[in-house]
Amino acid sequence: MKRTIAIVAGGDSSEHDVSMRSAEGILSFMDAQKYDCYVVEIKGQNWKAHYKGESCPIDRNDFSFTATDGHHTFDFAYITIHGTPGENGILQGYFDLIEMPYSTSNVLIESLTFNKFALNNFLRSFSEVNVAESFLLRKGYPMPDDDTLIAHYGLPCFVKPNAGGSSFGVTKVKSADALRPAIERAMMESDEVMVEKLIVGREITCGCYAKGEEIVIFPITEVVTSEEFFDYEAKYNNKSQEITPARISAATAKRVSELTAHIYSLLGCYGLIRIDYIISGEDGNETINLLEINTTPGMTTASFIPQQVRAAGLDIKDVLSDIVEGRFQN
């Protein structure tokens, strides 16, 4: 018997359309011999299954739907929402309540990794994990004056939504008069905003997933962009080079891979994740600085994870099958 998989996409953030493209990628990657897969698009209270040309409302009592050929249920939810409610624990809590297995980490880990400031301060307690200094601003609460922030965090610095993706609302602030507009822009994406000290170096990213008791680490990708940083333009409008494997020493690659596996295990993650880093300092002896953890990484054919899977000599359909079947093992 084939399992029926819901590829859950969309969501309520600015990355709704990016998520839908990831869903198309996953749909093309899934093993059609094992699974019947349908995209379920979520936006606010509008949940609908895209089923054989029909758009069928989801019954949220049990995550089922009714089409012209009858009533349908799902065995598994593959979550590929970038942002709320699929990357911050909300949807995971819903699936826990209705006892639907899903592809990501649990509620606590999703909410923690989605909150950049909370994650950084959690990881800061482990001496082997380096993170940038940062300050949290909340909408409606008193804020330090611009001069105080600049004196402590310097220029350039980054301003970014605390709870959101890395594509929208992020600004590299290079002058004092640009700080306040950057904060206001980030506040449009999240009620909390981080001001973060700049780390100079090379950006790399490393993906992994758990296959049983083994954590499978993919080859590392180096990100080179003509933009100020790896923003939406660089990601989706061909303004970056993504080099897999990264042009780093074998010793540094080993350290990054080991750190990625350690963080995955430390947090108790499940499914595919991708950790972004900045490496700085002397070649072969760099400091590895964590930028962020993506627990529902992009999954278009051009995204990092499929690139890294190919570079590892693996088949993406087998990786996705491992994630699905891992939830049904006793």
Side-chain angles (χ1 to χ4, degrees):
M1 292 284 291
K2 284 185 175 182
R3 299 194 199 278
T4 304
I5 310 296
I7 301 171
V8 187
D12 302 324
S13 78
S14 299
E15 294 190 80
H16 178 101
D17 293 344
V18 176
S19 169
M20 294 302 294
R21 295 202 292 273
S22 285
E24 292 173 7
I26 293 169
L27 190 61
S28 71
F29 298 146
M30 280 286 191
D31 190 337
Q33 300 300 312
K34 290 183 178 179
Y35 309 115
D36 290 323
C37 301
Y38 306 102
V39 174
V40 173
E41 182 178 1
I42 288 178
K43 189 169 182 63
Q45 296 298 304
N46 184 16
W47 296 21
K48 57 188 178 184
H50 297 284
Y51 176 79
K52 298 182 179 179
E54 297 183 57
S55 182
C56 308
I58 291 287
D59 181 348
R60 286 194 290 275
N61 289 296
D62 60 1
F63 202 65
S64 65
F65 67 94
T66 301
T68 53
D69 63 356
H71 189 70
H72 299 271
T73 59
F74 292 105
D75 301 305
F76 184 90
Y78 197 103
I79 302 170
T80 190
I81 290 174
H82 311 316
T84 189
E87 202 173 8
N88 57 359
I90 293 173
L91 201 56
Q92 287 77 7
Y94 163 75
F95 284 130
D96 284 342
L97 286 171
I98 65 169
E99 299 183 342
M100 173 75 69
Y102 52 85
S103 60
T104 70
S105 306
N106 64 26
V107 172
L108 174 61
I109 301 311
E110 291 298 315
S111 57
L112 176 62
T113 53
F114 191 67
N115 187 306
K116 297 180 180 71
F117 189 79
L119 176 68
N120 284 2
N121 281 280
F122 173 76
L123 292 176
R124 204 189 303 276
S125 63
F126 299 91
S127 59
E128 65 272 31
V129 183
N130 298 298
V131 295
E133 287 188 55
S134 59
F135 188 85
L136 186 68
L137 306 172
R138 282 200 175 102
K139 187 177 289 186
Y141 284 77
M143 297 185 189
D145 62 72
D146 294 0
D147 290 342
T148 299
L149 289 171
I150 291 168
H152 191 82
Y153 297 99
L155 289 173
C157 65
F158 273 104
V159 172
K160 57 181 69 173
N162 184 45
S166 57
S167 295
F168 293 94
V170 181
T171 304
K172 183 178 181 180
V173 177
K174 296 188 284 186
S175 62
D177 60 355
L179 179 61
R180 194 56 47 171
I183 291 170
E184 292 170 359
R185 180 170 176 246
M187 286 285 185
M188 295 174 67
E189 297 290 330
S190 170
D191 286 345
E192 296 181 338
V193 168
M194 278 174 61
V195 178
E196 188 175 73
K197 184 169 281 190
L198 174 70
I199 299 173
V200 177
R202 285 188 288 171
E203 184 166 350
I204 58 172
T205 186
C206 183
C208 67
Y209 80 108
K211 182 179 181 180
E213 297 299 313
E214 177 191 7
I215 298 175
V216 179
I217 305 294
F218 303 137
I220 299 160
T221 300
E222 179 182 355
V223 182
V224 181
T225 177
S226 58
E227 300 296 293
E228 285 286 349
F229 59 96
F230 193 54
D231 61 359
Y232 184 90
E233 284 290 311
K235 286 181 182 179
Y236 303 114
N237 291 326
N238 298 316
K239 294 188 177 181
S240 68
Q241 286 181 277
E242 298 163 11
I243 303 162
T244 309
R247 298 169 299 182
I248 56 179
S249 71
T252 299
K254 183 174 184 290
R255 288 170 56 221
V256 170
S257 296
E258 288 174 347
L259 180 59
T260 300
H262 176 64
I263 292 170
Y264 191 101
S265 179
L266 180 70
L267 292 172
C269 294
Y270 188 81
L272 286 164
I273 73 163
R274 200 191 78 234
I275 305 183
D276 300 339
Y277 302 97
I278 293 281
I279 55 172
S280 56
E282 180 186 353
D283 286 350
N285 194 35
E286 296 95 338
T287 299
I288 304 167
N289 307 283
L290 184 142
L291 284 180
E292 66 174 306
I293 300 176
N294 299 276
T295 59
T296 61
M299 289 292 287
T300 69
T301 54
S303 295
F304 287 121
I305 291 292
Q307 287 181 47
Q308 294 177 0
V309 169
R310 290 192 295 270
L314 302 174
D315 192 324
I316 188 69
K317 79 173 188 298
D318 295 332
V319 172
L320 296 181
S321 293
D322 288 340
I323 292 167
V324 175
E325 297 307 319
R327 288 301 200 193
F328 295 94
Q329 294 172 359
N330 293 327

